[in-house]
Amino acid sequence: MSGITKIFPGVRALDGVDLEVQAGEVHCLLGQNGAGKSTLIKVLAGAHQPDGGVITWQGEEVTLKSPVAAMKLGIATIYQELDLVEGLSVAENIFLGHEPTTAGFVVRGREARSSATALLKRLGHPEIQAHRPVGSLSAAQQQIVSMARALSHDVRLIVMDEPSAALDPDEVDNLFRVVATLTADNVAVIYISHRLEEIRRIGDRVTVIKDGRTVAVALPAKETPTREVVALMTGRNVEYVFPERPAPTTAAPAEPVLRVEGLARHGEFEPVDLELRPGEIVGLAGLVGSGRSEILETIYGARKPSAGRVLVNGTPLRPGSVPAAVRAGLGLAPEERKAQGLLMLESVTRNVTVSSLSRFARIGWLDHSAERAEARAATRELSLRPDNPDVPIRTLSGGNQQKAVLARWLLRGCRVLLLDEPTRGVDVGARAELYAVIRRLADEGLAVLLVSSEVPEVLGLADRVLVLREGRIVHRAPAQELDEHRVLDLVMEGSPTP
Amino acid sequence: MKQPASEAQHGGPDAAATSEPPTPATTASSTSAARSTEEKGGWRALGLRLDVRNLSLLGVLAALIIVGGITKPDQFLDTNNLQLVLTQASVIGVVTVGMTFVITSGGIDLSVGAIVALASVWATTLATQEYGFAGILFTAVVVGLGCGLVNGLLIAYGGMVPFIATLAMLASARGLALQLTDGKTQIVTVNSVLDLGIPDSYILGIPPLVLVFAAVTVIGWLVLNRTTFGRRTVAVGGNAEAARLAGIDVRRQRLYLYLLSGLCCGIAAFLLIILAGSGQNTNGNLYELDAIAAAIIGGTLLSGGRGTIVGSVLGVLVFTTITNIFALNNLQSDVQQIAKGAIIVAAVLVQRRTLRNGEA
C-alpha cells in the first residue's frame, strides 16, 4: 500500500500512509489512538474506499471494492469486536457463506465439521469442538474460530486488530503459537497492538503511523529500542499549542467541588479517590481498557458503582443516577460523540438545549425564541462555526460538534465538566482552539476532569495528572513534573523504566 | 427546492381545510415570518422535509378525492358521506396520535387494538352503565391508562422489549375483554352517550367525534412540537444513550409515553362506544396495524427520532378515504387490503429516498 489517503467529513484520517508486508512475516502496526490504524485496516479489508493511493497485491495493482473482494484476494481481517454468530456452531461459523454443499444448497454438515476440526487442529486448538455453539466459547476460543474462518478461505494475509486486548497472559501465549503456525505456512500477518512487549516477542518488522502519516517504515521489531519507537509514536510534526496555565496563587486553594471516595466497579476499576477544585483541570492518562471512561461514567452516574461515593460540594450524589448528577452540576462530553453525545437528526440548537429544556419552559411549554437565542449565545461564546444554530448538527466538523456538547453544559451552568477524549475525531488544526476553550472554562471557575489516551494532550492541558493502568491509579503528579516518555512507560509497562 | 416548499406552506392549510386540524405549516410559517430574513433560512431548512412529505400525502389525498368524485360523484361528495369518513377516521385517528408519540420515541405499541376492545367492554358493562355518561367515559379512560401503565412499567423499568411487552398486553387484554363479555355484544342504554352519535348533536355540521379527534390532534401536535415532553420524546427516539447522558430520565419518559398511548386508546374506546352504541370484545381489531401504517406513511420514522402528527393524521385520512371509495364502488375488502399494502410500500420507499437525500 502506498500513499493511502482517506478523508472523512471534517477530518483527514489518513494522509499518505505507506505499508509493505512480505509473505510469512509478522508486520506490526503501531500508533496512538486516532493515528489512523483502524482506518487503514478498514481500507485494506475493503470496508472503506481510499480517496487516494495505490494498493498492490502480489505485484498487481488492485482495488478492494468490498469486504468480499478483499476476502477473494485472500485478505482476512479479525476485528476487535469479533463478527461471529453466537447461535451457530463453530463449524457453521467457520464456513458461513461458503458451506460445502450438495447440489448447491444442501449443507454437508459432517464434511463441514470434519474440515473445521482439521483447521482447528492446524491452529493447535483441537479441544474446540466443531459442533458447539460459538456463544458458549471463551473470548480466546472465539478468536481462534475467527482465525479458522480466515484460514478456510485460502488466506494469504491476516490482519489482527488488538487481538490480545481481551486475553489472559496464557491465552496470549497460545495466540502467539497460532501466529507462528500461520507464518510458517507463508501467511503474512499484520499485527496491531498497544503493547510494545508483545511486538518485541512476535514482530518481524514495525511500521509506525501518527496523525494519519507513516513516520517509520519496516523497522526491525526486535532491535529498535523502546525509546525510539515511543519517540516515533509521539514526536510531533504539528506542535500543539496549549494555553498557558494560570499563575500559581498564594491564596488558600478553594474547597473541592467534586470529591470521589473509594469509587469502584467490579472487573472494571479498583477504588479511586480524587478531588477536583474549581478552576482546575485534572487529567486521567491511560490506554483503552484501562478503565478511564468507566471511571468517568461512574462518577457521572451512568454506571452504578459497586463501592464508594461521589460528593459534589460535600453532598453525596444518588449512585447510578445521571439526572441527579446533572442536577448537582456535572456534565459529560462522552467518548463516542455521535453514539453517546449527539442527536444526529437534530439542529445545533436542540443539541445544545437538550439538557436545559426546563429553563425555556413554563409548565412544560417551550419558548422557542428564547431557546434559540440562548443556544446561539452559548455557541457564540465558544465561537462555534457556522454561526447558525439552526443547521443540522451532523453537518458540523468534529471540533464544532464537540463545541456544541460543551455549549450544552455551559448553558446548563454546570460546575464540573467530565471530558472523555475531547479531541477524538477533531482535526489537528481545530484542537488548539478546543484546548483554549477548555482552559478558559476552567479559568472561569469550572472544574474539569479530562480523559485522554493522547499523552501530550493530558500533559499540555491538565494541571495535575493521574496515570491509570488496568483499572488502577499507578501514579499521581503535577503535569509539569511528568514528561511524555515517563507517562507512556507508566501506562504501558506499569513501572517507570530507568 | 426551497421555493415550492414555501409555497406549499401557504397551500397547506387550504388543502387541509377538509380535515379541520391546523397543519404545522401554518404555525411554522407565521412564527418564522416574524423573524428576520437571515434567521428564517434555517427554520425553513428544517421544516422543508416535513412539508415535502406532507405535501405528497396531501397529493395522494387529493387524488383519492378526485377518484371518489369521478367514480361516485353523487355519493362520495355528499355531506353525509364526508361526515361518515371523518367519523370513521376519528376512532383510529386518536389511536394513531398516541402511536405516533410511541414510535417517535423509538418504541412500538402493538396492544392498542386490544386496549380499545378491553376499555370499550369494561365501560359498557351493566354495572358501569349505571353510572351513566361519566361512568362510561371514566372507565374507558382509566382502563386505557391502566393498560398503558402496565406496558410502560414493563418496558421502562422491567427492561422488556416494547414489541414483546405490548404483544403480551395484546393477548391478555383481548382475553380479558372476551372474559368480561362472554363474547356477547353489550348494548349501551345511556341516552346521553348515544345522543353524541346522531346528526342532531352535530355542531355546524361537524360530528362531535370529529371534534374530539381534531382536539386530540391539535393537542398532540402542540405537545410534540412545543413542549419539553415532546422534545424529550424526540431525543429519546433519536439517540436514547445520548439523551440519557444529557440528563434526561429516559425510563420515566418511556413510562409516560405508553401511558399516553393507553390514554388515547381509552378516548378512542369511548368514541367507538358512541359510534357503535355498544361494546364488543372484537372491537379495535387490527387497529395496531392501521395505526402503525398511518404513522409510517405519514413520515414518522419507525426507528424513532422523527415524528409528525400532521403526517399521521393525513395517513389516517388516506386509509379511511380509500376504504370509503372502495365500499362505495362495491369493491371487496380483499382489494382494499392489497391497495393499502401497496400504499405502505410506496410511502416508505419515498420516505427512504427523501431521508437519504437529506443526509447526503
Side-chain angles (χ1 to χ4, degrees), chain A residues 238-466:
Chain A
V238 187
E239 269 311 314
Y240 288 138
V241 183
F242 289 102
E244 265 182 53
R245 295 187 176 83
T249 53
T250 46
E255 277 297 300
V257 54
L258 176 80
R259 184 179 288 143
V260 174
E261 293 176 350
L263 198 69
R265 252 176 81 85
H266 282 306
E268 287 180 359
F269 57 90
E270 291 168 29
V272 171
D273 293 285
L274 62 88
E275 280 183 359
L276 217 55
R277 291 168 208 284
E280 181 180 51
I281 302 178
V282 171
L284 269 179
L287 296 176
V288 174
S290 61
R292 343 163 278 194
S293 302
E294 288 80 359
I295 291 178
L296 227 54
E297 289 181 11
T298 310
I299 293 175
Y300 190 58
R303 293 168 189 246
K304 214 171 180 134
S306 49
R309 55 183 194 161
V310 177
L311 299 97
V312 176
N313 285 337
T315 317
L317 290 183
R318 188 150 70 91
S321 165
V322 175
V326 170
R327 269 196 302 276
L330 264 57
L332 171 74
E335 179 176 18
E336 301 290 339
R337 199 159 44 241
K338 284 179 187 166
Q340 302 179 291
L342 298 174
L343 307 167
M344 294 304 277
L345 292 170
E346 303 276 354
S347 66
V348 173
T349 298
R350 293 186 171 201
N351 271 284
V352 169
T353 57
V354 66
S355 298
S356 333
L357 285 177
S358 46
R359 255 174 86 151
F360 314 106
R362 291 178 65 181
I363 40 169
W365 190 257
L366 283 171
D367 178 347
H368 278 195
S369 43
E371 178 189 1
R372 194 172 171 285
E374 291 217 30
R376 164 163 273 191
T379 52
R380 276 206 175 137
E381 177 98 30
L382 303 180
S383 22
L384 184 140
R385 293 280 171 270
D387 183 22
N388 177 0
D390 299 323
V391 299
I393 193 97
R394 67 186 137 77
T395 60
L396 266 54
S397 70
N400 282 305
Q401 287 181 347
Q402 188 65 275
K403 281 186 190 173
V405 176
L406 295 182
R408 173 189 295 171
W409 297 118
L410 200 63
L411 185 64
R412 167 88 209 181
C414 94
R415 288 177 291 185
V416 179
L417 202 49
L418 310 172
L419 303 178
D420 198 349
E421 300 280 0
T423 57
R424 170 171 294 182
V426 174
D427 249 351
V428 176
R431 290 183 180 193
E433 210 186 326
L434 213 48
Y435 295 144
V437 165
I438 294 168
R439 172 52 74 185
R440 184 158 56 82
L441 294 177
D443 288 345
E444 286 165 14
L446 239 65
V448 179
L449 187 56
L450 167 80
V451 158
S452 175
S453 39
E454 298 205 24
V455 176
E457 185 167 293
V458 176
L459 291 179
L461 198 54
D463 302 303
R464 287 190 290 132
V465 176
L466 312 180

Side-chain angles (χ1 to χ4, degrees), chain A residues 94-114:
Chain A
I94 291 176
F95 292 102
L96 197 62
H98 60 117
E99 296 86 355
T101 53
T102 305
F105 61 95
V106 183
V107 177
R108 293 202 297 272
R110 194 185 299 265
E111 185 182 323
R113 276 194 295 280
S114 63

Side-chain angles (χ1 to χ4, degrees), chain B residues 288-355:
Chain B
E288 56 279 1
L289 294 186
D290 289 342
I292 294 168
I296 297 305
I297 71 163
T300 297
L301 282 185
L302 193 54
S303 51
R306 194 170 278 160
T308 151
I309 298 289
V310 175
S312 295
V313 169
L314 288 175
V316 167
L317 289 175
V318 165
F319 281 146
T320 325
T321 310
I322 291 178
T323 310
N324 183 258
I325 292 172
F326 277 57
L328 288 178
N329 286 289
N330 291 323
L331 287 166
Q332 298 305 311
S333 65
D334 48 357
V335 191
Q336 278 178 42
Q337 300 289 350
I338 295 169
K340 277 188 188 178
I343 287 178
I344 295 171
V345 171
V348 172
L349 287 178
V350 169
Q351 201 181 91
R352 281 182 48 158
R353 271 226 347 240
T354 36
L355 192 73

Side-chain angles (χ1 to χ4, degrees), chain B residues 69-306:
Chain B
I70 290 171
T71 53
K72 293 282 163 183
D74 304 332
Q75 296 162 40
F76 181 74
L77 294 172
D78 183 65
T79 319
N80 285 337
N81 187 53
L82 293 179
Q83 284 168 341
L84 178 71
V85 170
L86 289 177
T87 309
Q88 285 170 340
S90 297
V91 180
I92 186 68
V94 170
V95 172
T96 305
V97 169
M99 183 69 84
T100 303
F101 275 87
V102 171
I103 295 181
T104 303
S105 78
I108 196 85
D109 190 347
L110 298 180
S111 60
V112 288
I115 297 177
V116 168
L118 180 61
S120 75
V121 300
W122 207 323
T124 51
T125 56
L126 289 175
T128 316
Q129 289 201 36
E130 278 177 25
Y131 294 93
F133 185 96
I136 293 177
L137 176 60
F138 179 80
T139 310
V141 167
V142 166
V143 170
L145 281 173
C147 294
L149 180 69
V150 173
N151 277 339
L153 287 175
L154 288 176
I155 292 162
Y157 295 93
M160 277 179 85
V161 179
F163 191 96
I164 303 297
T166 59
L167 190 65
M169 176 58 75
L170 184 164
S172 359
R174 279 246 176 254
L176 189 54
L178 178 61
Q179 203 172 51
L180 279 176
T181 58
D182 210 8
K184 297 189 184 84
T185 302
Q186 301 178 148
I187 304 296
V188 176
T189 53
V190 180
N191 284 330
S192 53
V193 171
L194 295 172
D195 284 349
L196 289 174
I198 58 169
D200 285 354
S201 66
Y202 291 7
I203 300 154
L204 301 171
I206 303 164
L209 265 64
V210 178
L211 289 178
V212 172
F213 175 33
V216 168
T217 303
V218 171
I219 294 170
W221 187 86
L222 289 171
V223 169
L224 186 60
N225 294 289
R226 289 277 182 261
T227 66
T228 53
F229 180 86
R231 189 65 66 76
R232 289 188 184 124
T233 303
V234 177
V236 168
N239 187 342
E241 175 70 357
R244 185 175 81 102
L245 292 179
I248 291 175
D249 193 332
V250 173
R251 289 191 293 190
R252 196 166 63 195
Q253 186 68 22
R254 288 208 168 115
L255 173 65
Y256 289 164
L257 282 160
Y258 288 93
L259 271 174
L260 176 71
S261 179
L263 172 66
C264 287
C265 291
I267 296 172
F270 185 68
L271 298 186
L272 197 56
I273 291 167
I274 296 171
L275 194 63
S278 66
Q280 251 184 302
N281 67 300
T282 52
N283 275 346
N285 193 30
L286 295 185
Y287 271 21
E288 56 279 1
L289 294 186
D290 289 342
I292 294 168
I296 297 305
I297 71 163
T300 297
L301 282 185
L302 193 54
S303 51
R306 194 170 278 160

Side-chain angles (χ1 to χ4, degrees), chain A residues 119-133:
Chain A
L119 278 170
L120 291 166
K121 206 167 168 184
R122 183 173 152 206
L123 289 172
H125 284 268
E127 82 284 0
I128 302 175
Q129 291 160 317
H131 62 83
R132 280 183 60 189

